[in-house]
Amino acid sequence: MARMGLFDAKVPRYTSYPTAPHFQSDVTATQFTRWISELAPGSQISLYLHVPFCRRLCWFCACRTQGTQSLDPVRAYVEVLKAELRLLATILPADISLSRLHWGGGTPTLLQPDMMRDLSAAIHDVLPLARGAEFSVEIDPNEIDAPRVEALAAAGMTRASIGVQDFDPKIQNTIGRHQSFEVTRSAIEMIRAQGIGSLNADILYGLPHQTKTRMTESVQKLLSLTPDRVALYGYAHVPWMARRQTMIPADALPAPETRLELFETARRLFVWDGYDEIGIDHYAHSTDGLAMAQKIGKLRRNFQGYTDDTSEVLIGLGASSISRFPQGYAQNISATSAYATAVKAGTFATVRGHVFATEDRWRGRLIEMLMCDFAVNIDMLEAQFPGCRDAMRADMNQAATLFEGMVDMSDSQFRITREGRPLARVIARAFDTYDLSKAGHSTAI
């Protein structure tokens, strides 16, 4: 697999197609407004709400966030989010509801209970939760208490997402993320005491000073907390994109071959503990929505990773948020000050995006199938996208040659073998026609 690029290829995580570096400025607030107005009345959509503030900035993180020691900018930001919701309400077709609601960041739990209640009420006034909807929130165990958990539960939160990264103190010191096992356990106990039925956790491999022994200890501690699903992400060291990562000593990072060993160590532990493997980097109990979606072929991939939400529309609110429509992507401006200025002036803050071409649609769906199911149903794809047959089969034939032994191909299916799964992102790249040379993506493993 080394000769096929596993240890040195720079490839996207393919949470979208095309990926965000290829978005252009020709998608504006006018286009975003039109796409909203064209939603089918009575339909269900997803909503992502971005809170870009953190009490402290973890050095490993490459998300669009900013540090604050005061709640004043957070309160002001919540008011802008409410204003953006009011703008949305003026153009939404009738009877639109939410199948999924996600608060991400940053640290959404920086919001105090009154802010949480105020914001959730504003959301529900515009976009009520549909029956069976899922409301998830990213929770920092260092930034949560009983009143805030109670406020989220009262607002309808059904799933909590806990960032763990690694429990080893030396690694935590090196990545600027101090979070003890005891603090994490206490946060989870508070969440479960409020009757929140679903919990997922993130853990990283490829961190500085990480060894198989340290990886094993952190995973076993996480397993003792019995999360319903786990995301096992590879740390992406991209200091040219996230300047705070310059605080992390590059010479302490594991070599690519060691990264694969760390991943395999964690993967085996999750499987041995009874978790189902989901896609390239998720693990879930068999009763979890992801596991059930995978079994019936309805697993999907979006900007948060894997999802069982099949809605074609995701609206992103807040600075830097990305929306997805059947017509394309639209992204808000990243700077919170510029975002606030636009919304206060009575306009959406859309500044870039991408309008789908026909080829984008079938290539995006093909790549999603590979990332979710490790297989493409050729007949189904050709039926869904008439006219893609010749180009698709030509690319599949070329990929079958490039990745001989890692893929199987028949008249009806293109499949990544079990052995080839670590190469899934590299194989998916073979169907990506965009120039990846300047995008700054992370390593394949």
Side-chain angles (χ1 to χ4, degrees):
M1 287 190 281
R3 64 181 176 82
M4 297 177 183
L6 180 60
F7 299 133
D8 54 15
K10 305 287 186 181
V11 288
R13 292 188 64 240
Y14 287 116
T15 54
S16 70
Y17 184 82
T19 54
H22 299 289
F23 291 179
Q24 300 293 323
S25 59
D26 57 349
V27 175
T28 64
T30 300
Q31 191 121 38
F32 176 81
T33 301
R34 183 168 69 251
W35 288 347
I36 293 286
S37 66
E38 291 172 354
L39 295 177
S43 61
Q44 293 185 10
I45 66 172
S46 299
L47 182 70
Y48 172 79
L49 187 146
H50 188 64
V51 179
F53 298 97
C54 293
R55 188 79 66 185
R56 70 197 186 289
L57 294 178
C58 302
W59 303 335
F60 73 91
C61 181
C63 297
R64 293 191 179 276
T65 59
Q66 59 193 78
T68 181
Q69 293 302 309
S70 167
L71 287 175
D72 292 343
V74 183
R75 287 191 178 276
Y77 184 80
V78 168
E79 292 303 312
V80 180
L81 285 172
K82 289 162 58 181
E84 191 177 18
L85 279 162
R86 290 192 294 270
L87 279 176
L88 191 62
T90 64
I91 58 171
L92 272 174
D95 301 322
I96 304 293
S97 59
L98 294 180
S99 60
R100 295 290 188 280
L101 171 61
H102 184 78
W103 292 8
T107 309
T109 48
L110 266 182
L111 274 63
Q112 296 304 293
D114 64 310
M115 289 187 255
M116 291 175 172
R117 288 190 289 267
D118 194 23
L119 183 56
S120 62
I123 293 170
H124 298 330
D125 284 347
V126 176
L127 287 162
L129 293 174
R131 179 174 296 187
E134 181 176 284
F135 173 18
S136 56
V137 179
E138 294 175 16
I139 292 177
D140 180 352
N142 289 310
E143 195 63 52
I144 194 66
D145 53 27
R148 280 180 278 187
V149 175
E150 290 169 5
L152 289 172
M157 180 177 73
T158 61
R159 177 178 294 278
S161 179
I162 297 285
V164 169
Q165 322 321 334
D166 194 288
F167 285 120
D168 185 86
K170 181 175 183 178
I171 294 173
Q172 290 185 356
N173 286 334
T174 307
I175 65 175
R177 170 80 171 200
H178 300 282
Q179 178 183 316
S180 69
F181 173 76
E182 290 72 25
V183 165
T184 306
R185 181 176 58 194
S186 176
I188 290 174
E189 288 173 350
M190 281 190 289
I191 291 165
R192 289 188 168 136
Q194 287 297 319
I196 307 304
S198 298
L199 175 78
N200 55 277
D202 299 345
I203 190 167
L204 295 178
Y205 68 92
L207 290 171
H209 304 301
Q210 220 169 30
T211 63
K212 290 174 66 176
T213 298
R214 287 180 171 139
M215 186 90 248
T216 298
E217 291 174 350
S218 286
V219 170
Q220 288 178 333
K221 286 181 177 179
L222 177 58
L223 288 171
S224 73
L225 302 175
T226 62
D228 298 277
R229 71 175 68 154
V230 178
L232 174 63
Y233 292 131
Y235 166 63
H237 191 62
V238 288
W240 57 88
M241 293 175 59
R243 293 179 62 183
R244 71 191 76 164
Q245 289 187 353
T246 58
M247 301 289 290
I248 293 177
D251 59 0
L253 294 171
E257 294 82 357
T258 304
R259 282 174 65 96
L260 179 59
E261 291 178 353
L262 293 169
F263 172 82
E264 282 296 320
T265 297
R267 184 192 71 80
R268 285 194 295 267
L269 288 169
F270 289 125
V271 172
W272 287 340
D273 210 60
Y275 286 78
D276 292 350
E277 295 183 72
I278 310 294
I280 63 171
D281 53 17
H282 279 52
Y283 303 85
H285 287 151
S286 59
T287 55
D288 183 83
L290 286 188
M292 292 188 286
Q294 180 175 256
K295 287 180 175 69
I296 60 175
K298 291 189 175 181
L299 187 66
R300 295 292 183 265
R301 193 156 173 83
N302 64 15
F303 296 106
Q304 282 76 57
Y306 289 105
T307 180
D308 56 351
D309 180 26
T310 57
S311 173
E312 291 187 348
V313 176
L314 166 68
I315 295 178
L317 299 184
S320 80
S321 285
I322 301 175
S323 300
R324 186 193 190 283
F325 300 89
Q327 301 94 327
Y329 298 111
Q331 183 173 21
N332 282 349
I333 195 165
S334 297
T336 54
S337 57
Y339 158 73
T341 297
V343 174
K344 289 177 181 178
T347 63
F348 290 107
T350 311
V351 293
R352 62 198 293 261
H354 181 83
V355 179
F356 291 141
T358 300
E359 186 173 357
D360 293 327
R361 298 177 196 275
W362 70 258
R363 287 186 181 277
R365 182 64 186 120
L366 185 156
I367 289 172
E368 185 180 43
M369 286 180 173
L370 289 177
M371 299 295 287
C372 291
D373 307 316
F374 300 108
V376 177
N377 185 318
I378 297 174
D379 294 337
M380 182 183 298
L381 204 62
E382 289 178 350
Q384 186 177 357
F385 302 100
C388 74
R389 176 187 173 89
D390 291 344
M392 180 182 66
R393 288 183 179 268
D395 283 357
M396 286 180 172
N397 287 329
Q398 185 176 32
T401 300
L402 287 172
F403 301 103
E404 185 178 2
M406 301 293 117
V407 300
D408 289 332
M409 183 176 173
S410 66
D411 287 342
S412 60
Q413 186 183 70
F414 180 90
R415 183 181 68 89
I416 300 175
T417 65
R418 178 76 207 190
E419 184 183 6
R421 289 187 179 185
L423 285 161
R425 289 166 58 200
V426 181
I427 295 170
R429 183 183 63 174
F431 299 94
D432 186 341
T433 58
Y434 288 87
D435 180 10
L436 303 183
S437 60
K438 299 178 181 179
H441 296 294
S442 59
T443 55
I445 186 63

